Amino acid sequence: MIAKLTGKLDSSGAGHAVIDVGGVGYLVEASARTLDALGRVGSDVTIHTEMLVGEDFLRLLGFARAEERDWFRLLTHVQGVGTKVALAILSALEVGELQRALASGDSAMIARANGVGPKLAQRITHELKDKAGALGGIAGGASIPGTAIAGPLGDAVAALTSLGFKPGEASAAVAAANEELGAGASLDALVRVALKKAAK
């Protein structure tokens, strides 16, 4: 929805924003990152919403980016991850960081979020690890299939996009790595050098 931000609550962590849509105020739950991204009170905002409906409640959640909402939906499909925990994870980690943590099996990074213990972090990592690479587009763009560029270069681009890098970033980093290493470089070497270049 496109609306006006009229107030924020608990902006130091996952909290709430009050959004005015045509003169009607909506209380929207959001991650700390979304609250920060919404900007100043009184400014016009675009927010992606998700409504949770129960027998005795209606809750509206807001996300600054559609990708964050998509990851919220994925996270809440894991047993033990409710709205509060999912928003805490999205407050602690950017979408790209979350995707890379899952792809590399780094449960300790996910455990940095408030309310996420080591066991739950391991369960999240285990259940979503395979989806992290398959959903490369969620991190900011459609992934480039490995066959788009032949041989190790294509495989290296695919490896970086599966870790959450945008296709353009991945292609540029692999090209720079290939230029530095020269023809005949192994896939491992290409990926290692490309990761360093993409991280700069």
Side-chain angles (χ1 to χ4, degrees):
M1 68 174 68
I2 301 174
K4 188 175 291 291
L5 179 65
T6 59
K8 290 188 196 179
L9 305 168
D10 305 326
S11 59
S12 60
H16 298 81
V18 180
I19 307 291
D20 183 300
V21 184
V24 178
Y26 293 89
L27 184 66
V28 178
E29 293 180 61
S31 71
R33 290 184 187 278
T34 285
L35 291 175
D36 288 341
L38 290 179
R40 300 186 324 273
V41 170
S43 60
D44 290 337
V45 296
T46 299
I47 191 163
H48 303 270
T49 58
E50 178 89 350
M51 181 172 281
L52 303 181
V53 181
E55 285 186 16
D56 55 354
F57 69 85
L58 283 174
R59 294 167 70 185
L60 190 62
L61 284 80
F63 306 92
R65 296 168 50 209
E67 294 86 359
E68 186 185 11
R69 181 183 60 191
D70 293 339
W71 275 100
F72 171 84
R73 291 172 176 166
L74 270 180
L75 286 165
T76 52
H77 278 92
V78 176
Q79 183 182 356
V81 178
T83 301
K84 184 176 179 180
V85 169
L87 289 178
I89 292 170
L90 292 168
S91 294
L93 300 171
E94 291 180 357
V95 167
E97 292 174 325
L98 173 59
Q99 191 170 18
R100 287 190 286 277
L102 291 170
S104 63
D106 187 355
S107 61
M109 182 176 260
I110 295 169
R112 287 176 10 198
N114 288 337
V116 180
K119 287 185 178 179
L120 181 55
Q122 287 174 358
R123 183 185 306 142
I124 293 167
T125 304
H126 175 73
E127 291 192 24
L128 298 182
K129 183 173 184 177
D130 292 339
K131 294 183 180 180
L135 294 171
I138 285 183
S143 39
I144 297 175
T147 55
I149 305 171
L153 292 179
D155 293 339
V157 170
L160 264 68
T161 55
S162 73
L163 291 173
F165 291 97
K166 293 180 181 178
E169 294 173 339
S171 298
V174 170
N178 187 52
E179 187 177 328
E180 180 177 315
L181 295 170
S186 69
L187 175 60
D188 287 348
L190 280 170
V191 171
R192 186 172 62 252
V193 174
L195 280 170
K196 289 180 183 175
K197 295 194 176 290
K200 288 182 179 177

